[in-house]
Structure formats: structure tokens, C-alpha cells
Amino acid sequence: MKAIREEAFPHLAVDPASYGPREAERITTLLGMWGSACVRHYVQHRRVPATDTSTLFAQLGIRDDSFRGYLGRVAERTGAGHPDLDTYVSYFHWNPPAVHVHWAGQAWTARGAFGDGRVRAHTGDRREVELLLFVKKAEAVERAANELLEPLTTQETATEEAVERMTAAAGLLNVVHRLFAEFTRLPVERRVTPEFFTDTWRQYTNHWEPGDFPPSGAADVEFIARDFLLGIDVPDYPSYVRRLYPALVTDGQELLTRLMGRTPIPDQLLERVGITPADLDRAPAAELLRIAAKHPELAACYLLLAESTRLASAHLNFGRRFVFDLRRSRDEDGMPDTPVMSSRIGSTGIRESFMDELKRGRRGHRLTALERVRRPALAEIVAMPQAPAPEDVVTIGT
């Protein structure tokens, strides 16, 4: 805390109103990381309890304001609706450099706030940098897929265009899955291990106040948005999602609110062609293939859903490998829990049992009957494009 006061705070503007939006994003990111670093060290050294760190921030003033008061005024200058604490958005999105996505002549960019090509890290460890870059790249590709799909929820699109959009989105999700695989196979010096993830990095993601959404907790808006685009069979899922809103900026809240009330794409397609899931369930494989050939949008939608559920499994396996399996092994050996952020729950407070429920909800989609048709036959019907290598789709910029 002394180092931050003496070496960092003097460089901050006396009046946050002097910051423009982009500069405010940079300062918000740094203040959030500094705050989380203080929380980690104060809790670890038992100077404040993990359940309530408010006394820490009461001691940490900036100029004539409290730490969170100053952070709130800076965050307001971003114009993004960022709260007065560390968030997933500032740490994972604004912090790393820009990510560019290219697919079939189209381009998307997830910009960064700093413009210098660097990644700010709590640990100074290359493994943390790799984690941030992986997350930002994966979400940038997911966003591109979602932007291709959203028009299908609001307008009756010609079959050819609908097929093109869904097969492109499926290809992009395939790229995300391969990014997962590449991330787990990085060279040893850059590879995030369960021990590093749980014992070091996650210890910077504790609550700032009782009941808040943990800073840097995995609030992947694009992943959640796809649940609304494609459908998820989980009771009162919107209520679970709304619990994340305090940790999101305005754009993320508006995106999820906009999609919550829409009919998922598979339901719209089935209604349009006059077929019910029960009809598909009763049909033998040969009849399903005939239906898919007559209605190629159903074949494209199934291939998209298959990629989405495959990616959901990768998310669950990631959580198990990096958090829950390690905790089970340590419990068997009688090892204590990690001191700041517990390794018995996910960073958002989610438990493994609910992660399983979410996986089943994504897996139990409206077109599961088409699993009985050979996937190459469905891919041939829609002329499924072959996904290029991830490095040909995703690039890091400034």
C-alpha cells in the first residue's frame, strides 16, 4: 500500500474530470488492479477478512477522496458505465492489446485501451499474460460469431443467407475450441498450470465488499449471449444472468437484456418450416437426413449447436482441471484451502454442480435428434466451410 501511495498516486490527476474517455479506461484498469492487489495481500496476511475488505479501502485515500470514490469518478469518465471496482471488462478487455478477427472477407476488432502492445499483469509472470491474451482472443472470436447470428433473431432471412451466417458462426466457434487446445499445449514456461491458476492468479480475484461480484470473475458476455441466441434449458436462467449485471459495463448489460426476450434461433427455424422437436425425435435417421436436405437451415443450425455445446464442454473441463480437480486432490491429502479466493467455487461463486447443469442445458437443445445423422452428411448439405488455422483468423494488434 505504501508503494502505491508514494509511487503511483502522485501521478494521478488532481481532478479526474481532466481525463478523456480512453485515458480514463487506462486509469480505471490500473486502479482496479492496484485495488485487487491490495485486497490479495491484506487478506493473505490476515489484516482484513476475505469476507469484508471495506476497512482496507477506508485506509486507502487518493488526493482528497477515498480510493473507491476516486476510482468511481475516473470510471465515469470512460462513458462505459464501469463500476467503482476492478472488473473482468477492464482487466481482460481494456488491458490487453487489440485483437483482430478475420473471416471470409469480414473483420472485427476488440480494441484495447493502452495502444502499446503490452499486457499489465499482477504477477509479472508470462503465464498470466498468456491467460489474458487467450481469454481476449477467444471472446473476440465469439463476438464475431454472435454478431453474425443476432440478425437471425429479428428478421426472416432468406435460407441461403441464414445457412451462410450459421455455418460461418459454427466455423468461428470451431476456432475458439482450437484456441482452447492451443492454450493447454503452450511451452512449459508459458503454460498455465492448475497450481499457478489456483494458488497465484486466482488469489487476485477476491471480493471487494460482501455480496459483490468478484473482480475479474469470468463474466463472459459473449458466451452468455450465445445461450440466448441458441437457447438453454435451465430454469430461470435470466435471473442467474442478471446477478452478473453489477460487474458488466453498459454495452454488456444492454446486449444481454436485448437478447433475453427473443425467441432462440432453433425455435424460430422449426416454427418457420412447420416441424416440432417431437417430429424430429420420432423420425428415423434416413427421414432426418431427408428433412435436413429439404430444410438446409436446420442442418446448419444443428452444426452450429454442436460446435456451441462442444465449446461449453471445453469451458466445464477447464474449470474442473484448473480448480475443482486440484481441490479434490488436495482435500484427499488434507491440504487447506487457498487463503484469499477459495478453490472450492468458481471465480464467480458458481459451483461445479451448477456448471454441470449449465452444460446439460446447452446440450439439451431443440435439434438433438439430428445427432443420429452422420455429421459429414449434414456438412455436405450446407457446404460447410473448412475453418482455417486460428492464426489465420485471430491476430494481436495495438
Side-chain angles (χ1 to χ4, degrees):
M1 186 181 287
K2 180 181 178 182
I4 291 176
R5 279 203 188 102
E6 294 180 356
E7 298 179 24
F9 289 176
H11 296 284
L12 298 173
V14 174
D15 183 1
S18 65
Y19 290 129
R22 186 62 60 86
E23 189 175 16
E25 289 179 358
R26 296 194 286 267
I27 302 302
T28 296
T29 300
L30 294 173
L31 285 167
M33 293 181 68
W34 294 340
S36 286
C38 288
V39 168
R40 182 251 166 94
H41 290 293
Y42 265 58
V43 172
Q44 187 168 351
H45 292 288
R46 303 181 188 277
R47 298 179 66 177
V48 295
T51 54
D52 186 358
T53 61
S54 57
T55 56
L56 157 64
F57 291 107
Q59 304 171 46
L60 192 61
I62 300 178
R63 307 293 185 179
D64 296 324
D65 203 348
S66 66
F67 180 87
R68 293 189 64 176
Y70 188 92
L71 171 55
R73 291 162 63 200
V74 176
E76 186 177 2
R77 296 293 300 165
T78 68
H82 192 285
D84 62 341
L85 42 72
D86 188 13
T87 70
Y88 185 85
V89 172
S90 58
Y91 178 64
F92 278 104
H93 291 188
W94 296 350
N95 175 13
V99 171
H100 305 288
V101 179
H102 302 272
W103 183 274
Q106 299 183 74
W108 298 263
T109 294
R111 65 171 183 80
F114 289 89
D116 60 4
R118 295 173 50 213
V119 179
R120 279 77 191 160
H122 286 293
T123 62
D125 193 303
R126 177 66 192 184
R127 292 172 292 181
E128 181 182 356
V129 172
E130 292 291 352
L131 175 64
L132 269 72
L133 290 174
F134 159 65
V135 169
K136 183 163 183 175
K137 287 190 294 185
E139 290 185 21
V141 180
E142 288 183 284
R143 177 187 170 193
N146 290 348
E147 290 188 0
L148 287 171
L149 294 174
E150 186 174 355
L152 301 181
T153 67
T154 58
Q155 59 196 47
E156 188 166 338
T157 309
T159 297
E160 184 177 346
E161 180 183 346
V163 167
E164 184 178 337
R165 285 180 176 275
M166 288 186 286
T167 54
L172 287 166
L173 295 186
N174 179 272
V175 169
V176 178
H177 193 272
R178 284 188 285 164
L179 288 173
F180 263 92
E182 289 183 356
F183 178 70
T184 61
R185 294 196 298 262
L186 288 169
V188 172
E189 67 276 8
R190 295 162 51 199
R191 186 185 310 153
V192 176
T193 63
E195 291 78 11
F196 175 81
F197 187 86
T198 291
D199 299 337
T200 302
W201 177 77
R202 278 189 93 234
Q203 300 310 296
Y204 289 93
T205 65
N206 192 61
H207 298 267
W208 279 28
E209 62 186 28
D212 71 353
F213 190 89
S216 306
D220 181 348
V221 168
E222 300 302 335
F223 196 92
I224 297 168
R226 196 166 62 256
D227 285 335
F228 292 118
L229 288 166
L230 300 183
I232 180 169
D233 184 18
V234 172
D236 204 15
Y237 185 63
S239 292
Y240 162 73
V241 172
R242 288 190 185 95
R243 187 180 65 85
L244 312 181
Y245 274 31
L248 307 179
V249 295
T250 302
D251 284 352
Q253 294 177 3
E254 291 179 346
L255 171 64
L256 297 181
T257 300
R258 184 168 73 242
L259 295 179
M260 275 182 196
R262 295 186 185 170
T263 302
I265 293 169
D267 298 73
Q268 291 196 35
L269 293 178
L270 287 169
E271 182 178 357
R272 197 172 302 160
V273 300
I275 297 174
T276 68
D279 294 332
L280 297 177
D281 290 340
R282 289 190 295 266
E287 175 64 11
L288 288 171
L289 182 59
R290 187 194 68 76
I291 291 171
K294 182 179 180 181
H295 304 290
E297 61 267 49
L298 295 183
C301 190
Y302 170 75
L303 294 170
L304 169 62
L305 287 161
E307 289 292 351
S308 184
T309 56
R310 184 174 175 230
L311 191 53
S313 294
H315 271 254
L316 175 60
N317 293 338
F318 187 96
R320 281 188 170 142
R321 177 182 176 189
F322 285 84
V323 181
F324 300 115
D325 286 349
L326 179 63
R327 183 67 260 158
R328 274 190 287 271
S329 174
R330 288 177 169 180
D331 282 342
E332 290 173 1
D333 295 335
M335 295 179 63
D337 197 2
T338 41
V340 184
M341 173 58 77
S342 171
S343 57
R344 291 192 170 90
I345 57 174
S347 59
T348 62
I350 194 171
R351 296 195 176 275
E352 187 175 12
S353 58
F354 188 55
M355 291 179 67
D356 275 318
E357 183 179 353
L358 291 175
K359 177 187 175 183
R360 289 192 298 271
R362 292 165 179 137
R363 173 73 178 75
H365 56 73
R366 309 287 273 175
L367 301 181
T368 52
L370 288 172
E371 288 181 348
R372 303 201 301 275
V373 179
R374 291 178 61 252
R375 193 169 300 185
L378 296 175
E380 184 177 356
I381 287 171
V382 298
M384 185 75 178
Q386 179 139 12
E391 59 268 24
D392 294 329
V393 177
V394 191
T395 57
I396 301 292
T398 54

